[in-house]
């Protein structure tokens, strides 16, 4: 490949500004993977291109098409499913320098952004207008809007405000051959033709490269009230989730944390919540209804043995922030694997019992947090690397078992992280051959040479 | 076609129950169109099939594929874009008898329905659990969930609760060749593979036949407060919409009604709102925040010359219901055409001025209602059939002008009604050749013989 390789780099250099093409070892290494844990040595990309305008992206795709070279587009690389892992010859299109907020239109409640804009930066910029960009994956301080769109990212407050798809109005997309198209509409509502914006959203860079997004903003809540609720057991906490639903309260955030995770947080932040009980709910109520909702929550749990934080207690807010920025680990490692299933809300207790059985059978440890408002669970399985035999095989069996159990209960293999590379084999457990085939046909339509992040997502 | 025709009917009879195939003139006529107004005599379908189970739909599609006969699936036919108009040889698949609510799972906040379930019936059935099905097109008392899905129907409360797409979790779809697939997921969140459920939603029966839907329910609001606000002018009313936004209030319903429409409502319901002012906003605030939101609205308009209804005034609720069930007309006719553009919220006054100019230039009448919360406007143009010359040409020019002006302001040709047949020529005004072509390619993938509602939607 070495001749072909220098030809490729030469061609890229002709088409692009000098400093946009980087070949240094450290940059190649940084761009070889995301946060998803995969065994084996990382594969280095051929080159990393940092486009600063749409034309650069088009040029890269034209060169890639002419040379049949795979292109992996990426942002901050905070994904955890290996969605941007390099597997063979590939050029990385790192969009992090296309980071301009092109326009904020407060009266239209929309913003136009380049894909490299960091989620948190957009939120900071629109707050002055009393607006927010709702999708808030745990990585919101680092992850880019483009990456959020590629994975149709969820987050903590999407039970109330929707996932990324619900905030994407239109997208400018560079196709595999370098053509630029615009899909979707610039208005809140619009049903002209097929929903191509939704098709590209969540397609993990396999159908095109998003180079501009027109996103919907929402009103920044006028009030926020945070509560922590400590329950004697996980079962009681899940019952608490149903109780909140019965009161017809839609929290902005409703996180369920099990005892083991409480212990991890205690350790990280020198707190002592573990002494209080067996599981916690962290609840954020927001908007004009927050005050009445808080009163309704207090009413609903008055006679129960839940320990509810006092009104305005800053500790509850701190707990939400602690939870927001970690599930007890920033990255998985070989001995710890976090999952991301979603199941019907009513099956949570049943599911957790199955997880506990699995962990026992395989002699691994398990802890769990959950976006309980929408049944999205993140169990983490881990082993002590110094103990026992067949560590990785046991871990692997537990993880696969957890996914199968989720499917058996009517769930999905991925609630918000995406399929990437890591979950690709599981997709066939969830979807029929016809549905898988249809997706490959759509991929072939848009990417006939299979150069857009090949081998991922479907 | 007569030999081939009797062969076809013969084949259908072999595959389907006797009473599911109807050939009577009255039923053929009823099923030849929807509410969309098109000049010329209706074209009768070859036959109308009323399946009562999924297998019947599969049988029809197998027969249609074998005979290369177009199939138009439909529900109540309340669409207004000619989406189910018969244009040539075609079998109608009328799904209105597949009207079972298969299951309601209150703890999961989902329902499983057949496509013929009437929107309102689902809402009635889930209300006992404190739940609602949010999408509420004006036709909700007659229209079916299947039809709502086919058009990705909006409605009054979608600015707050989302359009149909946001309530569709998974779909069972019969493909052109009779195969049955399931797309989407049965959980609130899920990002496994491409978003095929969104692709089928709004595809107007051109990609497959939806035979079962798994839909998300929302909490029935614990409180509802309706306000009517009369403004001296349309401009002041639009300013009022911005004022509500500035207060960061997301109403469940926010309808803007112009003076001419007020006069129509007055006439229909023997009221006298026209004497009060030049335009109205109808506002529904709901949920735990309704009371505080009402107070905030009153605060915001305290010093202005808006006439706000008293708290709890039943007249405001009646006005919303009046608006809900009509825009002053149940059907368009040759001399009256209603449109359905959506534009950026901030451009509403500008747009209405352009509409007024257009109406003046073409010497036609214009009135307008708007889902002002999401910038979806329904202008109606009409002429007195006894007055002037070139009536239809003038009307036509005004309508086309209104669509072009919406596009010029960054809007869309259809906010919620769909493209159907009537807006098909306009689609190229909004979307590029590449985007149109991509949609035709997706259609060809799923329907290689072009037998699924050919000539519609794209």
């Amino acid at each position: 490949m070495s001749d072909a390789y220098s030809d490729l780099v030469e061609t890229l250099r002709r088409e692009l500004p000098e400093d946009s093409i980087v070949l240094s070892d450290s940059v190649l290494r940084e761009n070889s993977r995301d946060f998803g844990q995969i065994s084996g040595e990382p594969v280095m990309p051929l080159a990393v291109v940092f486009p600063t305008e749409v034309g650069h992206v088009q040029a890269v795709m034209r060169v890639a098409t002419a040379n049949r070279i795979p292109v992996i587009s990426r942002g901050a690389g905070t994904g955890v499913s290996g969605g941007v892992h390099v597997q063979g010859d590939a050029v990385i299109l790192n969009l992090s320098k296309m980071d301009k907020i092109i326009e904020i239109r407060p009266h239209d409640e929309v913003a136009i952004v380049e894909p490299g804009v960091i989620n948190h930066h957009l939120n900071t910029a629109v707050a002055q207008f009393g607006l927010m960009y709702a999708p808030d994956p745990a990585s919101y301080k680092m992850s880019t809007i483009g990456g959020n769109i590629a994975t149709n990212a969820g987050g903590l407050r999407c039970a109330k405000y929707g996932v990324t798809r619900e905030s994407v109005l239109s997208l400018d997309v560079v196709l595999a051959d370098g053509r630029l198209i615009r899909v979707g509409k610039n208005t809140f509502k619009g049903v002209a033709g097929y929903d191509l914006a939704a098709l590209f959203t969540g397609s993990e860079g396999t159908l095109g490269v998003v180079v501009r997004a027109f996103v919907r903003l929402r009103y920044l809540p006028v009030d926020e009230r945070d509560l922590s609720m400590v329950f004697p057991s996980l079962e009681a906490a899940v019952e608490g989730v149903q109780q909140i639903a019965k009161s017809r309260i839609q929290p902005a955030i409703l996180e369920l944390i099990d005892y083991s995770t409480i212990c991890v947080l205690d350790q990280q932040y020198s707190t002592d919540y573990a002494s209080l009980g067996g599981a916690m709910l962290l609840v954020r109520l927001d908007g004009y209804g927050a005050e009445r909702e808080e009163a309704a929550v207090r009413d609903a749990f008055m006679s129960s043995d839940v320990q509810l934080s006092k009104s305005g207690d800053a500790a509850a807010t701190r707990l939400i922030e602690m939870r927001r920025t970690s599930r007890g680990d920033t990255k998985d490692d070989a001995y710890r694997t976090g999952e991301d299933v979603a199941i019907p809300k009513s099956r949570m207790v049943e599911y957790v019992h199955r997880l506990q059985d699995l962990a026992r059978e395989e002699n691994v440890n398990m802890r769990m947090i959950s976006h309980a408002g929408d049944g999205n669970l993140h169990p983490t399985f881990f082993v002590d690397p110094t103990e026992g035999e067949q560590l990785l095989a046991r871990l692997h069996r537990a993880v696969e078992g957890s996914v199968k159990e989720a499917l058996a209960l009517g769930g999905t293999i991925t609630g918000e992280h995406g399929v990437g590379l890591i979950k690709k084999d599981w997709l066939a457990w969830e979807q029929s051959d016809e549905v898988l085939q249809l997706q490959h046909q759509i991929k072939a339509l848009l990417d006939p040479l299979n150069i857009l992040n090949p081998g991922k997502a479907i």
Side-chain angles (χ1 to χ4, degrees), chain A:
Chain A
M1 176 83 203
S2 90
D3 271 5
Y5 168 65
S6 35
D7 281 0
L8 173 75
V9 172
E10 198 49 49
T11 313
L12 286 172
R13 284 205 196 284
R14 272 201 304 275
E15 301 277 340
L16 295 161
E18 174 87 30
D19 59 354
S20 66
I21 303 164
V22 182
L23 304 173
S24 74
D25 279 355
S26 63
V27 171
L28 294 182
R29 181 165 292 272
E30 277 163 30
N31 283 273
S32 67
R33 293 192 163 192
D34 59 26
F35 282 8
Q37 180 62 30
I38 284 188
S39 55
E41 269 304 291
V43 178
M44 293 303 118
L46 300 174
V48 181
V49 180
F50 291 89
T52 54
E53 49 187 72
V54 174
H56 299 166
V57 176
Q58 293 184 273
V60 169
M61 291 317 306
R62 277 194 302 264
V63 171
T65 286
N67 293 274
R68 300 198 170 218
I69 291 289
V71 171
I72 301 173
S73 55
R74 59 172 279 158
T78 55
V80 292
S81 299
V84 298
H85 276 29
V86 178
Q87 294 178 282
D89 286 337
V91 170
I92 294 286
L93 198 49
N94 185 317
L95 296 152
S96 60
K97 291 190 178 167
M98 289 180 70
D99 60 352
K100 276 194 290 296
I101 297 174
I102 298 169
E103 196 181 346
I104 296 167
R105 298 184 183 165
H107 293 300
D108 290 338
E109 298 152 24
V110 298
I112 307 170
V113 299
E114 290 188 328
V117 170
I118 289 174
N119 181 307
H120 184 50
H121 293 175
L122 178 58
N123 265 304
T124 306
V126 301
Q128 61 181 304
F129 304 108
L131 296 167
M132 67 173 182
Y133 175 68
D136 65 335
S139 59
Y140 74 101
K141 286 190 178 166
M142 304 161 64
S143 63
T144 64
I145 303 289
N148 295 171
I149 291 169
T151 54
N152 191 15
L156 276 68
R157 55 192 180 196
C158 49
K160 180 165 185 175
Y161 293 106
V163 295
T164 297
R165 183 188 74 168
E166 276 75 82
S167 289
V168 168
L169 298 178
S170 78
L171 297 173
D172 284 6
V173 181
V174 173
L175 299 177
D177 58 10
R179 281 178 301 158
L180 176 68
I181 63 170
R182 177 166 298 175
V183 295
K185 72 285 171 185
N186 292 349
T187 48
F188 287 1
K189 274 157 100 177
V191 291
Y194 301 153
D195 195 346
L196 299 180
L199 183 63
F200 283 101
T201 303
S203 65
E204 304 191 28
T206 62
L207 300 179
V209 183
V210 171
V211 290
R212 200 194 76 138
F214 207 106
V215 297
R216 178 178 178 172
L217 306 171
R218 313 257 169 185
Y219 304 130
L220 201 60
V222 293
D223 192 5
E224 279 187 351
R225 292 170 179 249
D226 297 334
L227 299 173
S228 67
M229 305 173 73
V230 184
F231 291 82
S233 66
L234 190 84
E235 289 74 7
V238 171
E239 185 54 44
V241 172
Q242 292 289 354
Q243 189 59 49
I244 291 170
K246 226 167 118 182
S247 304
R248 303 194 226 157
I249 294 167
Q250 178 64 70
I253 292 176
L254 179 52
E255 298 290 301
L256 171 64
I257 298 183
D258 75 351
Y259 183 77
S260 303
T261 306
I262 297 174
C263 294
V264 173
L265 291 177
D266 276 346
Q267 220 173 352
Q268 287 186 326
Y269 298 94
S270 306
T271 49
D272 185 25
Y273 290 102
S275 66
L276 298 176
M280 288 181 94
L281 289 183
L282 301 177
V283 185
R284 174 164 292 169
L285 307 165
D286 74 359
Y288 280 94
E291 187 178 347
R292 272 191 67 195
E293 287 174 342
E294 182 183 339
V297 169
R298 292 190 185 283
D299 271 4
F301 292 94
M302 197 169 337
S303 60
S304 69
D305 48 1
V306 55
Q307 297 174 63
L308 238 158
S309 58
K310 287 199 173 41
S311 204
D313 186 354
T317 302
R318 204 178 60 229
L319 269 167
I320 289 178
E321 292 311 315
M322 283 161 60
R323 155 58 196 113
R324 221 189 228 293
T325 46
S326 86
R327 57 163 195 260
D329 13 276
T330 48
K331 291 190 184 194
D332 293 325
D333 65 27
Y335 302 99
R336 184 174 58 209
T337 306
E339 265 323 311
D340 167 46
V341 301
I343 58 168
K345 282 177 73 175
S346 68
R347 315 298 290 270
M348 269 196 286
V349 167
E350 198 176 344
Y351 183 63
V352 172
H353 287 167
R354 293 190 188 191
L355 292 183
Q356 288 164 341
D357 289 346
L358 266 170
R360 205 172 303 116
E361 282 161 26
E362 300 296 349
N363 190 25
V364 301
N365 303 300
M366 195 275 292
R367 59 173 178 263
M368 192 205 62
I369 54 149
S370 161
H371 307 309
D374 44 26
N376 185 193
L377 284 78
H378 296 304
T380 297
F381 294 93
F382 55 105
V383 288
D384 181 337
T386 63
E387 269 185 22
E389 285 176 3
Q390 285 200 303
L391 291 174
L392 295 183
R394 277 158 38 205
L395 198 58
H396 186 71
R397 282 196 301 268
V399 167
E400 289 209 340
S402 77
V403 172
K404 285 180 177 160
E405 294 291 358
L407 290 170
L409 293 176
T412 176
I413 62 169
T414 176
E416 58 181 5
H417 291 172
V419 169
L421 187 61
I422 296 179
K423 299 181 190 176
K424 240 187 69 173
D425 291 344
W426 304 344
L427 195 57
W429 299 353
E430 177 167 343
Q431 297 182 343
S432 68
D433 287 349
E434 283 92 346
V435 170
L436 292 173
Q437 190 199 356
L438 176 56
Q439 294 173 84
H440 282 283
Q441 288 172 324
I442 291 173
K443 163 88 167 151
L445 248 187
L446 279 151
D447 180 21
L449 302 178
N450 196 27
I451 57 172
L452 286 165
N453 203 11
K456 309 284 174 57
I458 59 168

